[in-house]
Amino acid sequence: MGFPEGFLWGAATAAYQIEGAAQEDGRAPSIWDTFSHTPGKVLNGETGDVATDHYHRREEDVATMAELGLDAYRFSISWSRVLPDGTPNQKGIDFYSRLVDELLEHGIAPVATLYHWDLPQDLEDAGGWPARDTARRFADYAERIGRVLGDRVHTWTTLNEPWCSAFLGYASGVHAPGRTDPVDALAAAHHLNLAHGLAVRALRGVATPSARHSVTLNIHHLRGDAEAVRQVDAVSNRVFLDPMLGNGYPADLLDDTASLTDWGFLRDGDTEIIAAPIDVLGVNYYSPTLVREWDGVSPREHADGHRQGAASPFVGCDAVEFAGQPGPHTAMNWPIDATGMEELLLRLHRDYPHTPMMVTENGAAFDDVVDVAPDGTAHVRDDRRVTYLRDHIAAVQRACEAGADVRGYFAWSLLDNFEWAYGYSRRFGLVHVDYATGERTWKDSAHWYRDAIARASP
């Protein structure tokens, strides 16, 4: 396979989805602890209290990464574990320090995400992301953890999918903290942007000069009517891409949302802070999205890939509907179309030509079943996931060959885990987890990915 020299092959996880140990060693509650314990918010009333128990199985899981032949591992740090009350919690910090050391001992580059949706609950109680002070608190957190791990982390990612944090959390309410105010969602998006810029500045002051600085966005790959595409692109993609990459907020976004807010939360100097230079853009891709103008009369389709909430997360797009798509789908009911990966990477290369990229999440959920042979050997045959990964990696390769500057690929996810509002009903892992016992079983996709990495490595 023809990939650039130094291309990183990895897998990714998130703290609340795998760690468990929710009330151990000084960890404080996050918004996902509160949300998941609120009746009716998560399927089957499930929580991340135990998850996959990675907190206690860290060494086993790192050994699995080494057996897979990973070049890098993308994990997130639980803000409420390391700074539970705004002051450092040494036991929480030590957990991540040991994780980083173990990764390095196995030749695996640590890629640390500072925020994967789990805001400390006390900060939500003080206003959450719609409050400007949360951005300043995030920068303080970044600097503190950067001082501890900054000599060893290969790549720092400030935020994971801030669109989900802002619009699923504060507009549609299907993610924590479950609020439904479109103005709060726009304010949250701005303050997440501001937090990103402040954190990049803070990290550059304390991390080793060789460290890379990044952010990960779930950029919607949109197809359909031109005007519908423009509107959704503004509030789902360019609301983050443009200010983070130095172009300020799109004029059409401000126009589309003018009836909701005058953007008074945007202050002089903010756009300069948000545009703090990054070294690589993280891109999460799972499936394309089909949009069209809604006639206002017929039943409106909501096939946007997210659980339907009290309101749409696509603020300012009241005349748009999200159409269902034909063809095979994953267990998330997301359409499977690897051509979208190639098209998205080439679009980003065209629109932001000086920004290198990494695919920081890509994978699929299927209804995996463990087969146990008469001799007791467990086996998980997930041919559909193997095909999904093969086709999407081939799409990344085609994008590279067409000129896109892509520096790595991270499969989502290393392990089956707590899938947010879907609880434990959706399995994305390369490695199957028995949630009752914690037992790990390699799926066929794990074996395939290990071999693919070996073939791609020099």
Side-chain angles (χ1 to χ4, degrees):
M1 294 185 288
F3 290 92
E5 184 177 354
F7 192 90
L8 292 177
W9 294 97
T13 63
Y16 189 73
Q17 292 183 272
I18 68 166
E19 284 181 3
Q23 299 175 23
E24 292 185 36
D25 291 343
R27 181 184 179 277
S30 75
I31 56 175
W32 268 97
D33 293 278
T34 302
F35 188 80
S36 65
H37 280 268
T38 303
K41 296 298 185 181
V42 175
L43 196 63
N44 301 320
E46 292 166 336
T47 75
D49 287 0
V50 177
T52 68
D53 200 28
H54 172 71
Y55 190 78
H56 299 110
R57 293 173 173 262
R58 185 193 67 248
E59 294 182 21
E60 175 186 356
D61 291 339
V62 172
T64 294
M65 300 174 211
E67 291 177 40
L68 281 168
L70 301 185
D71 299 319
Y73 171 54
R74 178 175 176 253
F75 63 96
S76 78
I77 296 169
S78 167
W79 189 348
S80 57
R81 193 181 294 283
V82 297
L83 289 174
D85 56 2
T87 57
N89 173 32
Q90 195 59 49
K91 288 184 178 180
I93 292 169
D94 287 347
F95 170 78
Y96 295 106
S97 187
R98 288 193 294 268
L99 171 63
V100 168
D101 284 344
E102 289 165 6
L103 292 171
L104 293 172
E105 288 168 6
H106 287 88
I108 301 169
V111 177
T113 300
L114 287 172
Y115 187 73
H116 200 127
W117 306 354
D118 47 354
L119 185 71
Q121 183 61 45
D122 65 339
L123 294 182
E124 172 61 23
D125 294 341
W129 285 112
R132 188 178 181 90
D133 186 60
T134 304
R136 289 190 284 264
R137 296 288 293 272
F138 182 73
D140 175 67
Y141 156 52
E143 181 173 1
R144 286 171 180 260
I145 200 68
R147 288 188 183 279
V148 177
L149 303 179
D151 59 332
R152 289 164 286 161
V153 167
H154 178 279
T155 299
W156 288 100
T157 300
T158 54
L159 309 170
N160 177 79
E161 300 186 348
W163 184 85
C164 295
S165 299
F167 294 99
L168 298 182
Y170 293 93
S172 71
V174 298
H175 277 193
R179 288 158 62 176
T180 54
D181 186 318
V183 178
D184 279 352
L186 291 167
H190 175 62
H191 294 138
L192 284 155
N193 277 330
L194 185 64
H196 159 75
L198 291 170
V200 170
R201 290 185 174 193
L203 287 167
R204 288 196 183 278
V206 296
T208 180
S210 63
R212 302 179 187 179
H213 300 273
S214 178
V215 66
T216 281
L217 305 180
N218 58 313
I219 302 161
H220 295 73
H221 181 59
L222 301 164
R223 296 167 173 164
D225 297 344
E227 175 58 16
V229 167
R230 182 203 63 75
Q231 289 182 45
V232 177
D233 188 55
V235 78
S236 65
N237 297 331
R238 289 181 284 120
V239 63
F240 298 107
L241 280 167
D242 281 6
M244 286 181 176
L245 299 180
N247 298 330
Y249 284 104
D252 61 332
L253 171 67
L254 304 183
D255 290 342
D256 290 345
T257 57
S259 64
L260 296 170
T261 176
D262 62 0
W263 285 70
F265 41 78
L266 172 58
R267 300 183 185 177
D268 289 344
D270 282 1
T271 53
E272 288 78 14
I273 294 172
I274 294 168
I278 59 174
D279 302 299
V280 62
L281 173 67
V283 179
N284 290 355
Y285 173 85
Y286 292 92
S287 63
T289 302
L290 179 61
V291 297
R292 63 192 177 205
E293 296 183 60
W294 179 45
D295 62 16
V297 179
S298 59
R300 190 176 181 184
E301 288 197 64
H302 296 277
D304 60 11
H306 308 290
R307 293 187 76 184
Q308 190 171 345
S312 170
F314 296 93
V315 173
C317 299
D318 295 337
V320 174
E321 68 174 348
F322 294 78
Q325 301 177 60
H329 290 69
T330 69
M332 297 290 288
N333 201 31
W334 296 346
I336 300 172
D337 187 345
T339 64
M341 169 76 87
E342 179 183 2
E343 293 167 359
L344 175 59
L345 294 173
L346 291 176
R347 174 256 171 113
L348 294 170
H349 174 64
R350 180 185 67 248
D351 292 353
Y352 309 95
H354 305 297
T355 303
M357 297 172 283
M358 287 199 302
V359 177
T360 39
E361 288 182 26
N362 177 238
F366 294 109
D367 297 324
D368 303 318
V369 177
V370 178
D371 294 322
V372 180
D375 65 358
T377 304
H379 196 104
V380 181
R381 295 173 173 83
D382 60 337
D383 294 346
R384 295 184 67 193
R385 183 174 291 106
V386 170
T387 300
Y388 181 99
L389 293 173
R390 182 198 66 206
D391 292 349
H392 285 75
I393 289 171
V396 176
Q397 180 183 359
R398 291 194 301 271
C400 291
E401 292 169 347
D405 187 357
V406 185
R407 306 286 180 88
Y409 174 92
F410 291 73
W412 183 270
S413 173
L414 176 70
L415 303 165
D416 289 337
N417 53 42
F418 176 80
E419 186 48 40
W420 307 113
Y422 290 96
Y424 296 98
S425 68
R426 305 292 192 272
R427 292 181 178 271
F428 278 88
L430 298 170
V431 176
H432 181 278
V433 177
D434 182 321
Y435 296 120
T437 66
E439 184 178 358
R440 275 81 162 131
T441 302
W442 281 40
K443 303 176 187 178
D444 283 357
S445 57
H447 294 281
W448 180 89
Y449 192 49
R450 177 198 60 197
D451 294 345
I453 293 171
R455 289 194 302 270
S457 301

